[in-house]
Amino acid sequence: MTFGLAPSATASTSRPLIPAGASDRLARMLVPAQWAAAGIPLLRDPREVVSALHALHRPTVSTAVVAVLDRDERVCASASFARGTTSADGWVHRNALLAQLRRVVPHDLRRRSPTRTAVLLHCRDGEGRWTEEDGAWMWGLRDACTLHGLRCGAYITLTESGWQVLGEDRSGRRPRVGPASSASVDEGSWELPAARGAVRAG
């Protein structure tokens, strides 16, 4: 026979109830301090990267664009896709990003260290400052890069007021996101003609 103290009704009702799976979801999110501590490489010219992706995909507020950069920070492959419903679970975003990366570029898992870098351009409403959804996308980008043998690069928000590299003090007013289209966003991808082994989708 064992003896113990049963929790009082007062104690049990005073504690906030945590929804099932909420702790796991929060673990799959990165706050700006964690992102900065991860040693994400800085882009030499983020405006050039953002402008190139904007010209290629013409994203709206319902679009995410993942791109792979070579050693010289040139875009060698990219894919745009509809974000779907907003979510703050990095696992969902990781799977979406990994699926797009697999479509446009072969993995580099056999290399001793990554030679290419993946960046994410997240187009959304609101201001460029960090949100929980951004934290989930950051976690998803980092994990997708690990699983695909890429270096995790910059996370950039694109809003109606311009672009912002989160975790850095760099931003610009142009380009900026266009209005949401009434039609659903078509998935699209792009690669440089010289990029061998990449898959052209769409």
Side-chain angles (χ1 to χ4, degrees):
M1 180 179 293
T2 58
F3 297 88
L5 296 175
S8 66
T10 305
S12 62
T13 57
S14 62
R15 295 176 182 174
L17 297 177
I18 301 177
S23 58
D24 292 338
R25 178 181 62 79
L26 292 174
R28 295 189 292 264
M29 179 188 303
L30 296 176
V31 298
Q34 292 172 308
W35 184 256
I40 305 300
L42 304 180
L43 289 171
R44 290 194 301 268
D45 191 345
R47 184 188 304 276
E48 182 178 341
V49 173
V50 174
S51 297
L53 295 178
H54 186 270
L56 285 168
H57 296 277
R58 297 295 178 187
T60 68
V61 293
S62 59
T63 311
V65 181
V66 61
V68 179
L69 311 181
D70 62 16
R71 294 177 184 270
D72 298 321
E73 292 193 357
R74 293 177 302 181
V75 178
C76 57
S78 64
S80 60
F81 58 99
R83 293 189 295 118
T85 57
T86 59
S87 171
D89 192 332
W91 185 81
V92 174
H93 300 323
R94 186 275 306 274
N95 291 344
L97 291 169
L98 193 56
Q100 297 300 325
L101 288 171
R102 286 170 174 165
R103 292 176 62 206
V104 297
V105 70
H107 69 74
D108 282 346
L109 294 172
R110 293 185 180 89
R111 296 182 181 274
R112 291 185 177 181
S113 59
T115 59
R116 296 181 292 186
T117 303
V119 300
L120 180 61
L121 183 66
H122 179 206
C123 309
R124 61 170 173 77
D125 289 316
E127 299 179 358
R129 67 181 64 179
W130 183 89
T131 66
E132 285 192 357
E133 186 185 2
D134 292 323
W137 277 108
M138 288 173 164
W139 188 95
L141 176 62
R142 187 185 65 176
D143 211 45
C145 288
T146 299
L147 294 174
H148 207 62
L150 301 171
R151 181 187 296 111
C152 180
Y155 175 81
I156 308 163
T157 59
L158 190 68
T159 66
E160 292 182 354
S161 60
W163 56 271
Q164 169 77 47
V165 183
L166 292 194
E168 303 179 30
D169 189 23
R170 291 193 288 179
S171 61
R173 294 184 178 181
R174 295 186 182 277
R176 52 189 177 184
V177 75
S181 172
S182 57
S184 59
V185 177
D186 293 328
E187 292 185 347
S189 61
W190 174 86
E191 60 170 308
L192 284 174
R196 302 299 180 188
V199 177
R200 183 183 296 274

